[in-house]
Amino acid sequence: IVLGGTKGHQSESFDDRSLLLQIYNAYRWKMIPNCTGRYTCRDHNVVSELSPLQMIQRAGTNDNGSYSQLQEYYLSLPGRKDPVIVVPLNTERTIGVITFVKEEEDEEVDNYKEERGFCASSVHGKTVEEQQQQCRRRHYVHTLNTPSGFQRKLEAIGIQEADYSPC
């Protein structure tokens, strides 16, 4: 199966059993303009509250055992507001999901915290910091990356392979 090949993107062939294609076929993806080999998920309402591994699992990738081999690498980068989660989809680490984590506080939660000095959904025994973390909403912006886009984007945002490799 071939992906890309339009709007300046190079075409790339994949085995129809590949994990990348299973994910690609499970959701609607859009080529990122001027970013060969990179796709953003158009089903944002469906996947924005799912971590990368949850999104991949819901794509039905558990069927062939490939899901159980995946690892998420959570990276906070100097000079970047949003953390990044990297999930290589093959052992060669040439394709993968790059997810940008957007954290925002709910306005209602923020107002409640100001009035009472703590989080509305606080749990007994948690520190103030843990309560504040719990009050933040996490949204995920997932990108699916083929060999022509994966390493290039990681390098562009300052991530080297050693940052997301097992010790």
Side-chain angles (χ1 to χ4, degrees):
I1 294 181
V2 177
L3 292 180
T6 60
K7 297 182 184 175
H9 284 244
Q10 68 186 44
S11 59
E12 298 175 88
S13 298
F14 296 92
D15 181 313
D16 63 355
R17 295 168 297 169
S18 80
L19 187 54
L20 181 126
L21 280 181
Q22 289 178 37
I23 298 165
Y24 185 84
N25 289 327
Y27 303 103
R28 295 176 309 138
W29 297 89
K30 176 178 105 175
M31 285 188 269
I32 299 174
N34 302 314
C35 291
T36 296
R38 300 198 63 239
Y39 301 83
T40 186
C41 191
R42 292 176 50 198
D43 292 325
H44 191 70
N45 291 339
V46 174
V47 300
S48 67
E49 295 194 17
L50 301 175
S51 72
L53 286 180
Q54 290 171 326
M55 186 252 323
I56 293 166
Q57 186 176 27
R58 289 210 181 156
T61 57
N62 220 8
D63 300 346
N64 62 11
S66 47
Y67 172 78
S68 62
Q69 304 299 316
L70 299 178
Q71 285 189 284
E72 278 185 346
Y73 298 92
Y74 188 93
L75 305 164
S76 294
L77 304 170
R80 290 193 67 90
K81 176 185 171 197
D82 300 324
V84 176
I85 300 173
V86 177
V87 182
L89 297 176
N90 61 358
T91 55
E92 298 84 13
R93 300 175 176 275
T94 58
I95 59 175
V97 173
I98 301 172
T99 298
F100 300 90
V101 182
K102 308 286 185 180
E103 288 186 349
E104 55 191 49
E105 288 197 20
D106 189 334
E107 205 171 296
E108 288 179 32
V109 171
D110 202 34
N111 291 338
Y112 188 91
K113 280 170 50 181
E114 282 180 24
E115 291 171 12
R116 294 183 177 72
F118 60 89
C119 177
S121 59
S122 66
V123 176
H124 182 70
K126 288 197 173 197
T127 67
V128 172
E129 187 175 296
E130 288 171 327
Q131 290 177 34
Q132 289 174 343
Q133 180 68 25
Q134 186 176 340
C135 292
R136 290 190 187 110
R137 280 195 186 172
R138 225 177 227 184
H139 296 280
Y140 300 96
V141 179
H142 303 289
T143 63
L144 189 60
N145 302 270
T146 67
S148 64
F150 189 55
Q151 288 301 324
R152 188 184 77 248
K153 181 59 180 179
L154 291 174
E155 289 170 12
I157 60 176
I159 298 175
Q160 303 302 314
E161 189 171 345
D163 296 332
Y164 63 93
S165 295
C167 298

